[in-house]
Amino acid sequence: MRRMRVAAVCGAAVVAVVGGVAPAAGAPGRRVGPVVELTYHGSAVLSGDRVDVRFTPRRTGQGAVPDATAMVRMRWSEPLADRQELPQGCARAGERVVWCGLGALDAGGVGEPVALRVRLRDAASEVLVEFDTVWSGGPVDGTLRSGGQRVLLLDTGDEYHF
């Protein structure tokens, strides 16, 4: 089962959330482990070659997320500049990917806010940022895209909320 919800933000940014059930390998329709869904709520601004992103992970589902189990992966449609100053707990992984650890999250909990500024290799009129959750064991996410969200930012200097 899959559903898609699309919302326009400020008439310019688009956020897409895709959800469904992740079946266990070899057992169609069966979930493995506690079901956990993470979503990311925050804001982002694109200005020239700079993108400022602030978000908070929110958790629904059964069971808690132990510390160091989940990370958010942000994929950028434009290459990032070679040098980046990222906050503690975040790391670069390739020319278009940044990972940030989320820490522990209780059932129905709100995680610690994440704030980062990235520089694009070149100024862009728009950039798409894709957020998804990557698990290092523990709970199995209850969505096909692991809480996947897409945010399209236009170089207006306006803050877009997702």
Side-chain angles (χ1 to χ4, degrees), residues 6 12 34 42 48 57 63 69 73-74 78 91 97 101 116 123 158:
V6 179
T69 297
R73 175 176 48 200
M74 291 165 276
E78 296 294 324
V97 178
L116 66 143
D158 293 332

Side-chain angles (χ1 to χ4, degrees), residues 3 17 19 35-39 58-61 135 141-143 147:
R3 64 178 183 200
V17 179
V35 176
V36 175
E37 184 171 344
L38 292 174
T39 57
R58 294 183 187 214
R59 206 193 101 11
T60 60
W135 301 96
D141 192 357
T143 66

